[in-house]
Amino acid sequence: MLLMLLSLAFTVPVYAVGDGNIDNGGGSMGQGTSQNSWSPGNEGVRVTVIRVTDREPVTRPIDLTNKTPAATLFHFGKVSKISYNGGMSLHPVQGNYAYTRPAQALPKIISSKSLGQSSIEEIKGYFTDEQVIRSIAGITGMQFEVLTNGEYRLLIEPIAYYKFEGVMIATTATEAALYDEQLSGGLRSRMQGVTHQNLPLSMFLETADLGYPAWAGSRNSPASNADIKSSLGLGIVRFNEVPPEAPEVSTFDYEYRTNTEVITAVDVSGGQSDPDHPVSVTFHVAGRSYRVSNVYYPEGDSQLAWIRWTTPDEPQTMTITVRVHGGGSVSKGTINVNIVDLDENPPPDPNADDRNDGFARPSLPENPQATSADWGVWRPWWYEHWVWHSGDDDDDGYWCDHGWWKFDLDRYSASLSASMHIAPDEKAPTASGRTLKSGYGINEKVTTRVNTNQSSAVTAAQNAVTYFPEFQYQGFWRLLDRMGGGYNLTHEFKENRYSTYNRRTHFTPIWYPDGSYTPYTWLIDCWTRATRS
């Protein structure tokens, strides 16, 4: 019934007509000067209609603001982020700034200390309001029914009006980043809190759309020009005649086994992380949060951040979200996980009459082997550089350390080895040494050994799966039981429910031909912070 109600809500005219793909952040902006300043509330938005199929603007962008900008305002015309990313360059203009003061006033867009944090729910509500969308359609010259037929998106970009070097200027976040590049950092050095922090962080995507990624970086630290141009200072409104179906994940970033200790890792980069400016990462997994602090790396490099956790007992799909704090960005902000149960396909009840006269011994499988891994961890250390500061008549001078952080890469590794032994079950009456008649049981023992110089970053080899020649090493298998603890586990058959004495055994088929009987065991789930062994 809930799904039916949701479907109906999207097929009749309603108050909200769009789906707002917008999120936001921001932080303290510091103090301005008489020549370089921004007054909270001096803001607006640029709206462009984008065709979904080719991601091209189909209308001239419009600027909406509650303010009356100065007649002498400097600006860069009406160019959208998508056009700048397509190669359009900046062209400064003074005066003749076209804008519209909407009948329904804009909500607060850019956060500030005096006016407080903007509300992402108010922003979403505004730009999905039917009357607002009808107004935008009228200003851009599109029919409302065409704009909302699902073939177009609204690209929303926040605008700030501020004083720079004594003159008023209007920029979107993308224009500010491009302008700062032209000035070799001159805009950022004076207006960083606005142009590179609260303006670009006032809007970014929750989910990827129109070729732009969901933002997984810091929500309260200044951003780089590259991050602003690629990922920040935009929101998107989608229109659908029917509610979109929940996406089906056909590929997964990780496949884990149930009830298994695993390691999930992401690569962190961007800027430099050191004890003065540390980066931390939070993983949100199944209602729990795992925070990884002090993820250090030098400028131009990266570092893996990882967590060690245990998967649930039941098979399921899971989404892990990753957030960065203190600057930097991660290689993947959303991790799709598939958790499977290997103990669901054991061999059936052995049947003495189920002959297979055409059986031929299969070749052993050839699976790729990974028995070692290595990785590095950046370790910052302070390089002292003492400088003498001369004094005056009242001061004898002093020494001051003007040093900086340097980094060493500490190397770690892990290796996995194992052995497998099978033997006739001791209850088998036909057993003699390593020989027995077909139809009786065998036992198996797998012994594992993990060696590492960073035990916190490595798990034991926790799962062993045995395949059998009578099934062509496919179709049926046995998940072995873990025995013991620590890094040197052993694995044995689970108790066989078809065994009279509940033995840990596997019955060979009674029709199996004379000669060798060779089970094949695949040892898995030795996880490291770098890869699997």
Side-chain angles (χ1 to χ4, degrees):
M1 288 183 64
L2 176 61
L3 288 175
M4 184 179 293
L5 287 171
L6 286 173
S7 296
L8 290 173
F10 279 84
T11 57
V12 298
V14 290
Y15 187 62
V17 298
D19 173 21
N21 180 9
I22 312 170
D23 207 342
N24 70 351
S28 175
M29 294 185 290
Q31 300 295 320
T33 67
S34 61
Q35 296 296 301
N36 301 283
S37 63
W38 174 74
S39 298
N42 274 358
E43 60 190 26
V45 294
R46 180 162 299 165
V47 182
T48 311
V49 180
I50 307 294
R51 186 168 48 232
V52 176
T53 53
D54 57 5
R55 300 173 180 172
E56 287 293 326
V58 295
T59 64
R60 186 170 185 265
I62 60 172
D63 288 2
L64 307 178
T65 179
N66 299 332
K67 299 295 184 179
T68 302
T72 57
L73 182 77
F74 281 86
H75 58 98
F76 297 98
K78 296 291 184 286
V79 182
S80 71
K81 182 182 190 76
I82 212 163
S83 296
Y84 283 124
N85 291 145
M88 185 77 73
S89 57
L90 291 176
H91 296 286
V93 180
Q94 185 177 21
N96 297 318
Y97 176 69
Y99 66 94
T100 298
R101 296 184 67 182
Q104 193 167 327
L106 292 168
K108 179 168 53 187
I109 303 295
I110 304 174
S111 299
S112 64
K113 183 177 181 180
S114 59
L115 295 184
Q117 180 76 23
S118 60
S119 168
I120 191 60
E121 296 307 319
E122 289 183 9
I123 294 172
K124 284 184 178 181
Y126 182 90
F127 286 107
T128 57
D129 183 287
E130 180 174 340
Q131 296 308 312
V132 171
I133 301 301
R134 287 186 179 275
S135 175
I136 291 173
I139 298 171
T140 60
M142 289 193 75
Q143 293 183 356
F144 174 78
E145 292 74 15
V146 175
L147 174 60
T148 58
N149 67 7
E151 297 179 8
Y152 302 93
R153 303 273 198 271
L154 290 185
L155 175 62
I156 315 293
E157 300 178 66
I159 300 172
Y161 305 100
Y162 51 92
K163 184 185 291 186
F164 174 61
E165 299 291 23
V167 299
M168 289 300 296
I169 183 173
T171 65
T172 63
T174 303
E175 288 171 337
L178 292 169
Y179 191 35
D180 183 63
E181 289 178 342
Q182 288 189 356
L183 299 178
S184 300
L187 180 62
R188 182 187 184 105
S189 66
R190 294 165 177 80
M191 300 295 297
Q192 172 177 277
V194 179
T195 60
H196 287 70
Q197 182 170 303
N198 283 24
L199 172 60
L201 291 174
S202 64
M203 288 188 190
F204 48 79
L205 299 187
E206 293 179 301
T207 58
D209 200 354
L210 294 180
Y212 293 102
W215 176 244
S218 172
R219 298 184 174 211
N220 53 19
S221 300
S224 67
N225 288 329
D227 283 342
I228 293 172
K229 291 188 295 182
S230 69
S231 310
L232 295 173
L234 80 156
I236 293 174
V237 178
R238 297 182 291 257
F239 303 100
N240 299 282
E241 289 187 324
V242 294
E245 295 181 2
E248 291 187 9
V249 178
S250 57
T251 59
F252 295 93
D253 302 300
Y254 286 91
E255 182 172 275
Y256 295 134
R257 265 58 64 184
T258 54
N259 191 29
T260 301
E261 191 177 41
V262 299
I263 289 177
T264 303
V266 294
D267 205 37
V268 187
S269 61
Q272 175 170 297
S273 173
D274 54 49
D276 290 332
H277 304 92
V279 168
S280 62
V281 179
T282 301
F283 295 77
H284 300 282
V285 184
R288 295 186 61 185
S289 296
Y290 302 82
R291 190 179 182 97
V292 183
S293 301
N294 301 328
V295 182
Y296 297 136
Y297 53 88
E299 181 82 29
D301 218 301
S302 63
Q303 180 63 70
L304 283 173
W306 57 276
I307 58 170
R308 183 170 172 168
W309 59 287
T310 301
T311 60
D313 294 334
E314 297 296 325
Q316 58 192 272
T317 59
M318 182 182 293
T319 298
I320 298 172
T321 57
V322 186
R323 294 288 180 264
V324 179
H325 315 276
S329 60
V330 294
S331 55
K332 209 161 189 62
T334 301
I335 300 171
N336 296 311
V337 171
N338 189 28
I339 301 173
V340 299
D341 187 354
L342 293 179
D343 197 18
E344 293 185 338
N345 213 22
D349 185 2
N351 189 332
D353 295 327
D354 188 15
R355 298 189 59 81
N356 187 358
D357 294 331
F359 174 79
R361 286 186 177 86
S363 299
L364 284 171
E366 294 184 3
N367 284 319
Q369 307 286 323
T371 58
S372 63
D374 57 80
W375 59 93
V377 178
W378 289 109
R379 175 172 48 82
W381 58 278
W382 184 255
Y383 179 82
E384 295 182 353
H385 179 64
W386 292 93
V387 177
W388 173 257
H389 293 261
S390 299
D392 50 30
D393 294 339
D394 299 321
D395 188 353
D396 294 334
Y398 61 94
W399 287 96
C400 184
D401 184 4
H402 291 258
W404 55 88
W405 290 104
K406 286 191 172 186
F407 293 80
D408 287 337
L409 186 63
D410 295 334
R411 296 284 185 180
Y412 298 95
S413 64
S415 64
L416 169 65
S417 60
S419 62
M420 171 185 173
H421 177 75
I422 62 171
D425 188 277
E426 64 180 16
K427 296 290 185 179
T430 65
S432 175
R434 294 183 54 81
T435 303
L436 81 165
K437 288 184 178 291
S438 58
Y440 291 94
I442 62 170
N443 305 134
E444 177 181 353
K445 184 175 183 179
V446 176
T447 303
T448 71
R449 179 174 294 276
V450 176
N451 291 303
T452 181
N453 57 348
Q454 191 182 25
S455 59
S456 63
V458 182
T459 72
Q462 301 160 81
N463 288 308
V465 185
T466 299
Y467 301 83
F468 303 97
E470 63 266 35
F471 304 114
Q472 302 294 309
Y473 298 117
Q474 57 188 347
F476 297 99
W477 57 83
R478 292 193 185 279
L479 176 66
L480 278 60
D481 256 349
R482 303 169 197 160
M483 313 296 287
Y487 283 96
N488 301 325
L489 293 177
T490 59
H491 301 262
E492 298 180 9
F493 286 138
K494 296 177 183 287
E495 291 183 356
N496 191 328
R497 63 192 180 104
Y498 301 117
S499 168
T500 305
Y501 304 101
N502 293 323
R503 302 289 297 167
R504 294 180 178 273
T505 190
H506 170 76
F507 292 107
T508 61
I510 196 169
W511 49 261
Y512 200 85
D514 291 347
S516 62
Y517 182 81
T518 310
Y520 175 85
T521 298
W522 186 229
L523 182 63
I524 56 176
D525 288 326
C526 176
W527 291 88
T528 76
R529 63 180 296 166
T531 185
R532 281 186 300 176
S533 292

Short mmCIF file of all heavy atoms in Angstrom, two decimals, residues 37-74:
data_model
loop_
_atom_site.label_atom_id
_atom_site.label_comp_id
_atom_site.label_asym_id
_atom_site.label_seq_id
_atom_site.Cartn_x
_atom_site.Cartn_y
_atom_site.Cartn_z
N SER A 37 35.33 41.89 1.36
CA SER A 37 34.35 41.47 2.36
C SER A 37 33.09 40.94 1.68
O SER A 37 32.85 41.18 0.50
CB SER A 37 33.98 42.64 3.28
OG SER A 37 33.36 43.68 2.53
N TRP A 38 32.33 40.20 2.48
CA TRP A 38 31.03 39.70 2.03
C TRP A 38 30.04 39.88 3.16
O TRP A 38 30.34 39.56 4.32
CB TRP A 38 31.12 38.23 1.66
CG TRP A 38 29.80 37.59 1.32
CD1 TRP A 38 29.07 37.77 0.19
CD2 TRP A 38 29.04 36.69 2.14
NE1 TRP A 38 27.90 37.04 0.24
CE2 TRP A 38 27.86 36.35 1.43
CE3 TRP A 38 29.24 36.12 3.40
CZ2 TRP A 38 26.89 35.50 1.93
CZ3 TRP A 38 28.27 35.26 3.91
CH2 TRP A 38 27.11 34.96 3.18
N SER A 39 28.86 40.39 2.85
CA SER A 39 27.80 40.55 3.85
C SER A 39 26.83 39.40 3.74
O SER A 39 26.32 39.12 2.64
CB SER A 39 27.05 41.88 3.62
OG SER A 39 27.93 42.98 3.77
N PRO A 40 26.59 38.66 4.83
CA PRO A 40 25.65 37.54 4.79
C PRO A 40 24.30 37.95 4.20
O PRO A 40 23.77 39.03 4.52
CB PRO A 40 25.52 37.14 6.26
CG PRO A 40 26.82 37.55 6.87
CD PRO A 40 27.21 38.82 6.17
N GLY A 41 23.77 37.13 3.34
CA GLY A 41 22.52 37.43 2.65
C GLY A 41 22.71 37.96 1.25
O GLY A 41 21.77 37.97 0.45
N ASN A 42 23.94 38.42 0.93
CA ASN A 42 24.22 38.88 -0.43
C ASN A 42 24.50 37.66 -1.30
O ASN A 42 25.64 37.26 -1.50
CB ASN A 42 25.43 39.83 -0.44
CG ASN A 42 25.02 41.26 -0.16
OD1 ASN A 42 23.85 41.55 0.00
ND2 ASN A 42 26.00 42.16 -0.07
N GLU A 43 23.43 37.08 -1.79
CA GLU A 43 23.54 35.79 -2.46
C GLU A 43 22.39 35.62 -3.45
O GLU A 43 21.43 36.40 -3.47
CB GLU A 43 23.48 34.67 -1.43
CG GLU A 43 22.17 34.68 -0.64
CD GLU A 43 22.18 33.75 0.55
OE1 GLU A 43 23.26 33.47 1.07
OE2 GLU A 43 21.08 33.31 0.96
N GLY A 44 22.50 34.61 -4.26
CA GLY A 44 21.46 34.26 -5.21
C GLY A 44 21.74 32.89 -5.79
O GLY A 44 22.60 32.15 -5.28
N VAL A 45 21.06 32.56 -6.85
CA VAL A 45 21.30 31.30 -7.54
C VAL A 45 21.21 31.51 -9.04
O VAL A 45 20.51 32.41 -9.52
CB VAL A 45 20.28 30.19 -7.13
CG1 VAL A 45 20.44 29.81 -5.68
CG2 VAL A 45 18.86 30.62 -7.45
N ARG A 46 21.95 30.70 -9.78
CA ARG A 46 21.86 30.66 -11.25
C ARG A 46 21.16 29.36 -11.63
O ARG A 46 21.52 28.29 -11.14
CB ARG A 46 23.24 30.73 -11.89
CG ARG A 46 23.23 30.70 -13.42
CD ARG A 46 24.54 31.19 -13.99
NE ARG A 46 24.76 32.57 -13.58
CZ ARG A 46 25.92 33.22 -13.67
NH1 ARG A 46 26.99 32.57 -14.15
NH2 ARG A 46 26.04 34.47 -13.29
N VAL A 47 20.16 29.47 -12.48
CA VAL A 47 19.35 28.31 -12.87
C VAL A 47 19.47 28.11 -14.38
O VAL A 47 19.25 29.05 -15.16
CB VAL A 47 17.87 28.50 -12.48
CG1 VAL A 47 17.07 27.25 -12.85
CG2 VAL A 47 17.74 28.80 -10.99
N THR A 48 19.81 26.90 -14.79
CA THR A 48 19.93 26.56 -16.20
C THR A 48 19.16 25.27 -16.46
O THR A 48 19.25 24.33 -15.68
CB THR A 48 21.40 26.34 -16.59
OG1 THR A 48 22.20 27.43 -16.12
CG2 THR A 48 21.56 26.24 -18.11
N VAL A 49 18.42 25.23 -17.55
CA VAL A 49 17.71 24.02 -17.94
C VAL A 49 18.66 23.18 -18.81
O VAL A 49 19.18 23.66 -19.82
CB VAL A 49 16.42 24.33 -18.71
CG1 VAL A 49 15.71 23.03 -19.10
CG2 VAL A 49 15.50 25.21 -17.88
N ILE A 50 18.87 21.92 -18.40
CA ILE A 50 19.81 21.02 -19.08
C ILE A 50 19.04 19.84 -19.67
O ILE A 50 18.22 19.22 -18.99
CB ILE A 50 20.88 20.50 -18.11
CG1 ILE A 50 21.58 21.66 -17.38
CG2 ILE A 50 21.89 19.62 -18.85
CD1 ILE A 50 22.39 22.56 -18.28
N ARG A 51 19.31 19.54 -20.94
CA ARG A 51 18.73 18.36 -21.56
C ARG A 51 19.50 17.12 -21.11
O ARG A 51 20.73 17.09 -21.16
CB ARG A 51 18.75 18.50 -23.08
CG ARG A 51 18.04 17.37 -23.83
CD ARG A 51 17.84 17.70 -25.30
NE ARG A 51 19.08 18.19 -25.89
CZ ARG A 51 19.18 19.33 -26.59
NH1 ARG A 51 18.11 20.07 -26.80
NH2 ARG A 51 20.34 19.71 -27.09
N VAL A 52 18.79 16.08 -20.66
CA VAL A 52 19.43 14.92 -20.06
C VAL A 52 20.24 14.13 -21.08
O VAL A 52 21.35 13.65 -20.79
CB VAL A 52 18.38 14.01 -19.39
CG1 VAL A 52 19.03 12.73 -18.85
CG2 VAL A 52 17.67 14.75 -18.27
N THR A 53 19.72 13.96 -22.30
CA THR A 53 20.34 13.05 -23.27
C THR A 53 21.76 13.44 -23.62
O THR A 53 22.64 12.59 -23.72
CB THR A 53 19.49 12.98 -24.54
OG1 THR A 53 19.25 14.32 -25.03
CG2 THR A 53 18.16 12.29 -24.26
N ASP A 54 22.01 14.74 -23.85
CA ASP A 54 23.36 15.17 -24.25
C ASP A 54 24.00 16.13 -23.25
O ASP A 54 25.08 16.65 -23.50
CB ASP A 54 23.33 15.81 -25.63
CG ASP A 54 22.36 17.00 -25.72
OD1 ASP A 54 21.78 17.37 -24.68
OD2 ASP A 54 22.18 17.53 -26.83
N ARG A 55 23.30 16.40 -22.12
CA ARG A 55 23.82 17.26 -21.05
C ARG A 55 24.16 18.65 -21.56
O ARG A 55 25.16 19.25 -21.14
CB ARG A 55 25.04 16.61 -20.39
CG ARG A 55 24.74 15.26 -19.75
CD ARG A 55 25.99 14.57 -19.26
NE ARG A 55 25.69 13.27 -18.66
CZ ARG A 55 26.59 12.39 -18.29
NH1 ARG A 55 27.88 12.66 -18.46
NH2 ARG A 55 26.24 11.24 -17.77
N GLU A 56 23.33 19.18 -22.43
CA GLU A 56 23.54 20.50 -23.00
C GLU A 56 22.50 21.48 -22.47
O GLU A 56 21.32 21.11 -22.30
CB GLU A 56 23.45 20.45 -24.53
CG GLU A 56 24.65 19.79 -25.20
CD GLU A 56 25.92 20.61 -25.04
OE1 GLU A 56 25.84 21.86 -25.03
OE2 GLU A 56 27.00 20.01 -24.92
N PRO A 57 22.88 22.75 -22.20
CA PRO A 57 21.90 23.77 -21.81
C PRO A 57 20.94 24.04 -22.97
O PRO A 57 21.36 24.11 -24.12
CB PRO A 57 22.76 25.00 -21.50
CG PRO A 57 24.15 24.46 -21.29
CD PRO A 57 24.27 23.26 -22.15
N VAL A 58 19.67 24.18 -22.64
CA VAL A 58 18.68 24.48 -23.69
C VAL A 58 18.05 25.85 -23.47
O VAL A 58 17.23 26.29 -24.28
CB VAL A 58 17.58 23.39 -23.74
CG1 VAL A 58 18.19 22.07 -24.16
CG2 VAL A 58 16.86 23.26 -22.42
N THR A 59 18.40 26.53 -22.37
CA THR A 59 17.93 27.89 -22.12
C THR A 59 19.11 28.74 -21.66
O THR A 59 20.12 28.21 -21.19
CB THR A 59 16.84 27.94 -21.04
OG1 THR A 59 17.41 27.50 -19.78
CG2 THR A 59 15.66 27.06 -21.40
N ARG A 60 18.96 30.04 -21.81
CA ARG A 60 19.96 30.95 -21.24
C ARG A 60 19.83 30.93 -19.73
O ARG A 60 18.73 31.00 -19.19
CB ARG A 60 19.75 32.35 -21.77
CG ARG A 60 20.83 33.36 -21.36
CD ARG A 60 20.65 34.65 -22.14
NE ARG A 60 21.71 35.59 -21.86
CZ ARG A 60 21.64 36.57 -20.95
NH1 ARG A 60 20.53 36.70 -20.22
NH2 ARG A 60 22.64 37.40 -20.76
N PRO A 61 20.93 30.81 -18.99
CA PRO A 61 20.83 30.80 -17.53
C PRO A 61 20.17 32.06 -17.00
O PRO A 61 20.31 33.15 -17.59
CB PRO A 61 22.29 30.70 -17.08
CG PRO A 61 23.01 30.08 -18.23
CD PRO A 61 22.32 30.60 -19.44
N ILE A 62 19.46 31.92 -15.90
CA ILE A 62 18.85 33.06 -15.23
C ILE A 62 19.39 33.15 -13.81
O ILE A 62 19.71 32.14 -13.19
CB ILE A 62 17.31 32.95 -15.19
CG1 ILE A 62 16.87 31.69 -14.44
CG2 ILE A 62 16.74 32.96 -16.61
CD1 ILE A 62 15.37 31.61 -14.19
N ASP A 63 19.55 34.38 -13.30
CA ASP A 63 20.01 34.60 -11.93
C ASP A 63 18.84 35.09 -11.09
O ASP A 63 18.15 36.06 -11.46
CB ASP A 63 21.14 35.64 -11.90
CG ASP A 63 22.44 35.09 -12.46
OD1 ASP A 63 22.44 33.93 -12.92
OD2 ASP A 63 23.44 35.83 -12.48
N LEU A 64 18.61 34.43 -9.96
CA LEU A 64 17.57 34.80 -9.01
C LEU A 64 18.21 35.30 -7.73
O LEU A 64 19.16 34.69 -7.23
CB LEU A 64 16.67 33.61 -8.70
CG LEU A 64 16.05 32.85 -9.87
CD1 LEU A 64 15.23 31.66 -9.36
CD2 LEU A 64 15.17 33.77 -10.71
N THR A 65 17.71 36.40 -7.17
CA THR A 65 18.24 36.93 -5.92
C THR A 65 17.19 37.75 -5.22
O THR A 65 16.31 38.36 -5.87
CB THR A 65 19.50 37.79 -6.15
OG1 THR A 65 19.96 38.29 -4.88
CG2 THR A 65 19.24 38.93 -7.10
N ASN A 66 17.23 37.76 -3.90
CA ASN A 66 16.34 38.62 -3.11
C ASN A 66 16.86 40.05 -3.02
O ASN A 66 16.15 40.93 -2.56
CB ASN A 66 16.18 38.06 -1.70
CG ASN A 66 15.57 36.67 -1.68
OD1 ASN A 66 14.82 36.30 -2.57
ND2 ASN A 66 15.89 35.90 -0.65
N LYS A 67 18.11 40.29 -3.43
CA LYS A 67 18.76 41.58 -3.29
C LYS A 67 18.63 42.41 -4.57
O LYS A 67 18.18 41.92 -5.62
CB LYS A 67 20.25 41.39 -2.96
CG LYS A 67 20.50 40.66 -1.65
CD LYS A 67 20.01 41.48 -0.45
CE LYS A 67 20.35 40.80 0.87
NZ LYS A 67 19.90 41.59 2.04
N THR A 68 19.08 43.65 -4.48
CA THR A 68 19.20 44.53 -5.65
C THR A 68 20.68 44.82 -5.85
O THR A 68 21.25 45.70 -5.19
CB THR A 68 18.42 45.84 -5.43
OG1 THR A 68 17.05 45.55 -5.17
CG2 THR A 68 18.52 46.72 -6.68
N PRO A 69 21.35 44.07 -6.71
CA PRO A 69 22.80 44.26 -6.89
C PRO A 69 23.13 45.66 -7.41
O PRO A 69 22.33 46.32 -8.10
CB PRO A 69 23.16 43.18 -7.92
CG PRO A 69 22.07 42.17 -7.81
CD PRO A 69 20.84 42.95 -7.49
N ALA A 70 24.34 46.12 -7.09
CA ALA A 70 24.80 47.45 -7.50
C ALA A 70 24.85 47.55 -9.02
O ALA A 70 25.16 46.57 -9.72
CB ALA A 70 26.17 47.73 -6.92
N ALA A 71 24.56 48.73 -9.54
CA ALA A 71 24.57 48.95 -10.99
C ALA A 71 25.96 48.78 -11.57
O ALA A 71 26.11 48.47 -12.76
CB ALA A 71 24.02 50.34 -11.31
N THR A 72 26.99 49.02 -10.74
CA THR A 72 28.37 48.92 -11.23
C THR A 72 28.98 47.54 -10.97
O THR A 72 30.20 47.37 -11.05
CB THR A 72 29.23 49.99 -10.54
OG1 THR A 72 29.15 49.82 -9.12
CG2 THR A 72 28.75 51.39 -10.91
N LEU A 73 28.17 46.58 -10.66
CA LEU A 73 28.64 45.24 -10.31
C LEU A 73 29.47 44.62 -11.44
O LEU A 73 29.10 44.68 -12.62
CB LEU A 73 27.42 44.34 -10.03
CG LEU A 73 27.70 42.91 -9.61
CD1 LEU A 73 28.13 42.87 -8.15
CD2 LEU A 73 26.46 42.04 -9.82
N PHE A 74 30.62 44.03 -11.08
CA PHE A 74 31.38 43.23 -12.03
C PHE A 74 30.84 41.80 -12.02
O PHE A 74 30.54 41.25 -10.95
CB PHE A 74 32.87 43.22 -11.67
CG PHE A 74 33.61 44.46 -12.08
CD1 PHE A 74 33.64 45.58 -11.27
CD2 PHE A 74 34.26 44.50 -13.31
CE1 PHE A 74 34.32 46.73 -11.66
CE2 PHE A 74 34.95 45.64 -13.71
CZ PHE A 74 34.97 46.76 -12.89
#
